[in-house]
Amino acid sequence: MFGLGDLESSVMDVLWRVAEPVKVREVLERLSTPRQLAYTTVMTVLDNLHRKGWVERALDGKAYRYQPALSREEAAARALRTILDSSGDPEAVLLHFAQSASEEEVDVLRKGLRRKARKR
């Protein structure tokens, strides 16, 4: 995911795949990485993600349970907004994207723009 390191992205992927808040040990058990990770490594990554606003946590006994602060789709939209805001020419970026979009994606964009126009 844009703005996250590889391990942070892997941890977020685990959190997005589970239905309920999970403890560090549960994240560690679900991670599929090429190397064995220490519990403290995953705990540090989750703490960093919490500090960055990517995850929420609640104390459950002596340990925290973690869950995503936003959905995968909201995170992707946030990344796209960051790209557009930092591009210097968001119109050009959007036009290039529109040229690469599939017919299904174009239909979805049209529906979204119609909804937005109705809300005004």
Side-chain angles (χ1 to χ4, degrees):
M1 182 62 57
F2 182 80
L4 296 178
D6 290 340
L7 186 51
E8 289 175 325
S9 293
S10 296
V11 168
M12 286 305 300
D13 188 54
V14 168
L15 295 176
W16 282 320
R17 283 188 277 123
V18 296
E20 69 283 335
V22 290
K23 293 182 179 180
V24 174
R25 176 80 49 211
E26 296 167 290
V27 173
L28 178 60
E29 290 168 356
R30 288 178 167 93
L31 272 174
S32 57
T33 58
R35 61 186 172 93
Q36 184 70 26
L37 296 173
Y39 176 93
T40 54
T41 300
V42 176
M43 185 173 63
T44 299
V45 169
L46 283 162
D47 188 54
N48 290 340
L49 288 168
H50 177 259
R51 187 176 35 77
K52 292 178 179 181
W54 283 86
V55 300
E56 297 170 346
R57 67 184 183 191
L59 204 53
D60 181 12
K62 294 183 180 182
Y64 284 109
R65 288 195 174 270
Y66 294 86
Q67 66 184 20
L70 58 166
S71 70
R72 186 185 303 265
E73 296 77 16
E74 290 168 325
R78 177 195 281 183
L80 180 55
R81 171 54 46 207
T82 300
I83 290 167
L84 289 173
D85 290 346
S86 64
S87 71
D89 191 352
E91 181 179 342
V93 172
L94 286 170
L95 290 173
H96 282 287
F97 175 77
Q99 291 172 351
S100 71
S102 69
E103 285 303 315
E104 292 90 11
E105 291 166 337
V106 169
D107 289 342
V108 169
L109 287 170
R110 284 188 179 125
K111 286 177 190 173
L113 290 171
R114 281 194 294 272
R115 282 188 208 141
K116 182 174 179 160
R118 281 185 284 213
K119 288 182 181 179
R120 289 184 181 179

